[in-house]
Amino acid sequence: MKLVIQIPCLNEEQVLPAVLRELPARIPGIESIEILVVDDGSSDGTAATARACGVHHVVRLGQHKGLARAFSVGVDAALRVGADIIVNTDADNQYDSQDIPALIAPILAGEADIVVGARYGAGVESFSSIKRWLQRVGSWVVRHASNTRIPDATSGFRAYSRDAAMRIVVFSDFTYTLETLIHAGHRGLRITHTDVRTNPVLRPSRLFNGVTTYILRSTATIVRIYAMYQPFRFFWLLGLALVLPATALFIWLLVRADGGWHPRDYVLLALSCVAGVAGFQALVAGIVADLIAGNRRLTEDVLFRLKRLDTSSDVNGRDTHKDAQVLRSS
């Protein structure tokens, strides 16, 4: 049983050695542990530092691709080197690496396919009120969109079985945390969580430039994910939200038409017609989107089978991505 711990990095030359020192060297039930660092186009010596610290595999992206892309490339590389379990952790030392054995325990026991580390401790206490609120909103969206019960859906400290990792499909460019859980829930994978500790924050997050950017991009990601994985419900709720008020307004205008119309009534009539047409289009879009979602599920099944064939025949650490290169440390 091989465990690969992957760490997406962006300019982590200073913090990475501390993260690597805390990783467990032995875990009961695991025959070998390998470390894989994904250098997401860093401008410092992140890759050289990783090799100097004895990291088994380094994936270097030619330019900065973002966390979601770095995560996906890392998962693909981990599968290629024969990982049976993949643990993803952050390079900012947010998570306590001593909780990795507890994180992978449900997978080793055959009780789960994906395990999410639910955060508590010093790192969480330092979160701003806005980040706490978005964390709760994101978790609420995941619970309703995937029928799972994960209290900390935005946590990046996770463990994946080999089959679960091969089924992961990420469309977002910003973050993978919410989307992967919703996707896994819809694919019938077993998802659970375990409490994990966090360390004090060493530096500000590099995922976003400020609170405003975080709010806008997180909101856009949540809306996009919900529309992608619950298209019928999303578009029909949107359509009904437009059609019902438009119909009510139209009927109200007809009822009071006997008393003569004020010029503003014509404006209201035009608004009701526009809203009604837009709502009807949203209802139709919901049907079409639901059919497209069915085709996407079939495509994902084909992709899963191709990944299984591809990764089973390549266990030498070679990454075939055009924008990445796997370098083995000596």
Side-chain angles (χ1 to χ4, degrees):
M1 182 71 69
K2 176 187 286 189
L3 168 66
V4 174
I5 303 173
Q6 72 167 40
I7 310 174
C9 296
L10 175 62
N11 297 327
E12 299 290 2
E13 178 182 5
Q14 300 299 321
V15 181
L16 185 58
V19 176
L20 296 174
R21 282 196 300 269
E22 296 299 322
L23 296 178
R26 299 181 185 84
I27 298 177
I30 298 296
E31 297 174 359
S32 65
I33 300 175
E34 297 183 0
I35 314 301
L36 187 151
V37 166
V38 182
D39 182 1
D40 186 18
S42 298
S43 58
D44 64 359
T46 294
T49 299
R51 291 194 294 271
C53 291
V55 168
H56 302 83
H57 315 282
V58 177
V59 180
R60 299 188 64 185
L61 303 184
Q63 59 183 353
H64 178 55
K65 299 290 186 179
L67 179 59
R69 176 61 175 161
F71 167 80
S72 298
V73 171
V75 168
D76 183 73
L79 290 171
R80 290 179 180 278
V81 298
D84 296 298
I85 300 177
I86 301 173
V87 166
N88 183 85
T89 188
D90 288 355
D92 59 2
N93 204 35
Q94 176 185 170
Y95 304 104
D96 190 336
S97 298
Q98 298 306 308
D99 287 327
I100 289 179
L103 191 68
I104 67 173
I107 297 178
L108 286 174
E111 299 171 352
D113 302 302
I114 299 175
V115 184
V116 179
R119 292 168 286 186
Y120 71 91
V124 176
E125 293 171 359
S126 64
F127 283 2
S128 66
S129 58
I130 292 294
K131 192 169 183 179
R132 288 174 182 268
W133 178 78
L134 284 173
Q135 181 183 3
R136 290 194 294 269
V137 171
S139 298
W140 180 86
V141 170
V142 169
R143 286 195 296 271
H144 285 76
S146 65
N147 295 320
T148 60
R149 295 293 179 267
I150 304 301
D152 187 5
T154 60
S155 171
F157 193 34
R158 302 180 176 188
Y160 300 85
S161 68
R162 183 174 180 84
D163 275 3
M166 284 191 287
R167 290 190 179 277
I168 289 175
V169 179
V170 180
F171 294 96
S172 172
D173 293 328
F174 180 52
T175 179
Y176 62 89
T177 54
L178 305 180
E179 183 177 350
T180 51
L181 287 182
I182 294 175
H183 179 264
H186 279 267
R187 303 308 286 167
L189 298 178
R190 298 168 299 171
I191 309 171
T192 188
H193 70 277
T194 184
D195 290 339
V196 296
R197 295 161 292 183
T198 56
N199 300 315
V201 177
L202 298 180
R203 58 159 178 77
S205 173
R206 294 198 176 111
L207 184 59
F208 54 93
N209 297 325
V211 175
T212 302
T213 302
Y214 183 71
I215 293 174
L216 292 177
R217 298 196 69 175
S218 295
T219 301
T221 298
I222 289 172
V223 172
R224 181 184 179 187
I225 291 172
Y226 197 83
M228 181 179 297
Y229 290 99
Q230 293 282 0
F232 188 82
R233 180 184 300 178
F234 177 84
F235 285 104
W236 270 68
L237 288 176
L238 177 62
L240 291 176
L242 293 171
V243 168
L244 294 180
T247 302
L249 178 60
F250 184 77
I251 293 174
W252 179 76
L253 290 172
L254 291 180
V255 169
R256 68 189 299 270
D258 292 340
W261 279 27
H262 190 276
R264 68 170 177 271
D265 293 337
Y266 294 98
V267 176
L268 294 176
L269 178 62
L271 288 175
S272 69
C273 292
V274 171
V277 171
F280 178 76
Q281 290 177 333
L283 296 175
V284 174
I287 298 174
V288 175
D290 192 56
L291 296 175
I292 294 174
N295 287 330
R296 188 184 69 243
R297 286 190 291 270
L298 295 176
T299 303
E300 289 172 357
D301 286 338
V302 173
L303 181 61
F304 169 71
R305 294 176 183 274
L306 290 176
K307 282 185 177 181
R308 173 175 285 178
L309 291 173
D310 189 31
T311 57
S312 63
S313 62
D314 185 358
V315 293
N316 296 316
R318 186 175 66 256
D319 185 23
T320 57
H321 283 285
K322 294 181 179 179
D323 58 352
Q325 180 182 7
V326 175
L327 304 175
R328 283 188 176 272
S329 300
S330 58

